[in-house]
Amino acid sequence: MLMMTISSIVVVIATVYCLVKRYETRLVLFCSGLVLTLIGGAPMDTMKAFSHAMLETKLFESIIAVMGFAMVMKSTECDKHLINLLIKPLRKAGAFLIPGSVLVTFFINISITSSAGCSAAVGSILIPLMMAAGIHPAIAGACIYAGTYGAMFNPGYPQVSLIVSVTDADPVYIVANHFYPLLACGVIGAISLWVIAKLRREDNGYELPPGTISKDGEFKVKLSHAIVPLIPIAILVSGSMGLVPAFKPIAISHAMIIGCFCAFLVSRKNPQQLSKEFWKGAGDAFGHVFGIIICALVFVGGLSTVGLIQQFIQMMIENPSIAKVSSSVGPFIIGIMSGSGDAASVAFNKAVTIHAATLGLDGPSMGSVVAISGALGRTMSPVAGGMIICATLAGVSPVETAKRNAPGMIIATAVLTFLMFF
């Protein structure tokens, strides 16, 4: 068992090394997952994980719709109209653009609670705009995913509901209890990215392909075209907040399709051509974005086969004396490894948080620390679905976006633990 654990850790380290060295992401993740299942003595688990990943229809539906919508925006030049409309005020925002984008996503995530769905919906708009303003693509992608744990402000969010079930506290009390620590985490993530961008000189100077941004007088912006890229996000937010009953609830894919029809109405382009562009984007999304997610889930499946994640969780559960540290560090590490903030959070909250009082700790505080630190960990994970989406929209490697988020997430986890427990 010890040799299996050591071998598994070596494979994980080798995987990280290959990803940092920018070897083909899908090949690295799939092969690493295969090696892990071989170590675990169940090589067919690789194929089972592959098949299971192919059935992630909810995530798949959002991704292909967003990428199809992005291609329609490009074909109709609606994205170009929006960029040229907002480029001047965005450039004037200067130092505030990077932290502002993080915090905008942070608060939109309260309504669009899926980290991957929020990344796709918000990223398809903000990432190109940030790049147009001169911000490096990796920073632009990192900004969006750095704001995808704001869902913990939502009393109806599943993780909040889980904390309620194991502590018998009111959901509004749970949110109020972690309100300021969670807000501090969001601000830390935003400021950290701004500092990193400054130090790496990635806060300005990036140039989009020629012709995207026109010189004064060369391109006439049409407001009717410029507002089309914003329609899906407006539908999603207004629907989730109950402002427009017809849009409550509405799937991300449905909002994107409505946006495509709006693009046709304002552009009057050949509908056959727009249909081809939509499905071309959908196909590219499957081959690249969803392909990476599938291979990432194969890798995570390999970790499950060798029991590495389960060992980390069990170690936390069996050491209640270090509950304060393990409730934040444990879910954080597993979030990085698995790309999911739920993997450790659910197990730890159900097994340990119910005994918080006997450990001398406040149950709601422990539950919040577990859930939020798990979310902070997956926010710097290169195998997280939302991270892969943001990186693809920015045209960079997931590792590039993940490493820019890492300092802020590490600091935020330390601050979260201090504010909630001390």
Side-chain angles (χ1 to χ4, degrees):
M1 187 65 182
L2 178 62
M3 286 302 298
M4 181 186 294
T5 302
I6 294 173
S7 300
S8 302
I9 292 173
V10 170
V11 172
V12 171
I13 294 172
T15 302
V16 173
Y17 173 82
C18 290
L19 290 174
V20 171
K21 286 294 184 179
R22 300 184 181 181
Y23 291 109
E24 214 285 318
T25 304
R26 288 162 292 192
L27 180 64
V28 170
L29 292 173
F30 188 93
C31 290
S32 296
L34 177 59
V35 172
L36 287 170
T37 56
L38 289 171
I39 292 173
M44 288 308 294
D45 279 4
T46 302
M47 306 307 167
K48 292 177 182 178
F50 180 87
S51 296
H52 178 73
M54 292 287 283
L55 298 176
E56 288 283 343
T57 53
K58 191 172 182 179
L59 185 59
F60 173 61
E61 179 184 350
S62 299
I63 293 171
I64 64 167
V66 169
M67 299 304 286
F69 174 73
M71 286 298 291
V72 171
M73 292 302 97
K74 184 177 180 180
S75 177
T76 57
E77 293 193 336
C78 287
D79 59 345
K80 189 175 179 180
H81 283 272
L82 179 63
I83 288 173
N84 281 277
L85 175 67
L86 298 180
I87 189 61
K88 287 184 178 179
L90 284 174
R91 283 176 172 167
K92 289 178 180 178
F96 296 102
L97 184 54
I98 291 174
S101 297
V102 176
L103 295 176
V104 164
T105 309
F106 191 65
F107 289 108
I108 289 178
N109 190 223
I110 299 173
S111 300
I112 307 175
T113 56
S114 164
S115 63
C118 184
S119 298
V122 180
S124 62
I125 299 169
L126 285 185
I127 290 175
L129 289 175
M130 294 177 71
M131 291 164 59
I135 294 173
H136 190 280
I139 291 289
C143 280
I144 303 306
Y145 203 53
T148 56
Y149 48 91
M152 286 297 293
F153 280 132
N154 189 329
Y157 185 53
Q159 284 291 344
V160 173
S161 299
L162 175 62
I163 299 170
V164 169
S165 69
V166 299
T167 62
D168 293 325
D170 182 78
V172 176
Y173 172 77
I174 295 293
V175 173
N177 187 48
H178 65 231
F179 181 87
Y180 290 109
L182 180 62
L183 184 62
C185 290
V187 172
I188 289 169
I191 294 175
S192 171
L193 274 173
W194 174 75
V195 171
I196 290 170
K198 281 288 184 184
L199 293 176
R200 297 176 64 97
R201 297 181 180 177
E202 294 178 343
D203 57 328
N204 59 63
Y206 178 78
E207 294 184 2
L208 288 175
T212 305
I213 301 174
S214 303
K215 296 179 181 179
D216 293 340
E218 286 187 0
F219 185 81
K220 185 179 180 181
V221 174
K222 295 180 180 178
L223 187 60
S224 59
H225 288 58
I227 64 173
V228 172
L230 303 176
I231 289 175
I233 194 70
I235 291 173
L236 291 167
V237 172
S238 61
S240 62
M241 294 178 68
L243 301 177
V244 182
F247 295 149
K248 182 184 180 181
I250 188 168
I252 292 173
S253 59
H254 299 171
M256 296 297 161
I257 291 172
I258 292 172
C260 290
F261 277 107
C262 291
F264 163 70
L265 292 175
V266 301
S267 68
R268 299 294 182 179
K269 290 200 71 171
N270 187 333
Q272 295 186 88
Q273 182 61 33
L274 292 185
S275 176
K276 290 178 181 178
E277 293 295 335
F278 178 88
W279 291 110
K280 179 183 178 183
D284 290 344
F286 184 86
H288 188 68
V289 187
F290 201 62
I292 296 176
I293 292 175
I294 289 171
C295 294
L297 291 175
V298 169
F299 173 68
V300 173
L303 292 175
S304 297
T305 297
V306 296
L308 202 58
I309 292 176
Q310 293 89 330
Q311 288 178 54
F312 269 104
I313 295 173
Q314 196 61 35
M315 183 176 65
M316 290 190 296
I317 294 173
E318 292 176 354
N319 291 276
S321 59
I322 56 170
K324 285 184 180 180
V325 176
S326 63
S327 63
S328 60
V329 176
F332 181 77
I333 292 174
I334 294 171
I336 297 171
M337 293 172 58
S338 66
S340 169
D342 298 337
S345 302
V346 174
F348 192 91
N349 274 330
K350 285 185 175 180
V352 180
T353 302
I354 54 174
H355 305 298
T358 62
L359 300 172
L361 297 173
D362 178 62
S365 294
M366 176 179 271
S368 292
V369 168
V370 169
I372 296 171
S373 60
L376 291 170
R378 60 99 174 132
T379 305
M380 58 171 282
S381 171
V383 297
M387 180 69 80
I388 293 167
I389 292 169
C390 289
T392 302
L393 289 170
V396 295
S397 163
V399 175
E400 291 301 308
T401 50
K403 71 181 184 182
R404 285 164 175 79
N405 270 342
M409 298 306 106
I410 293 170
I411 296 170
T413 301
V415 170
L416 171 72
T417 307
F418 178 81
L419 291 178
M420 295 297 288
F421 286 145
F422 298 99

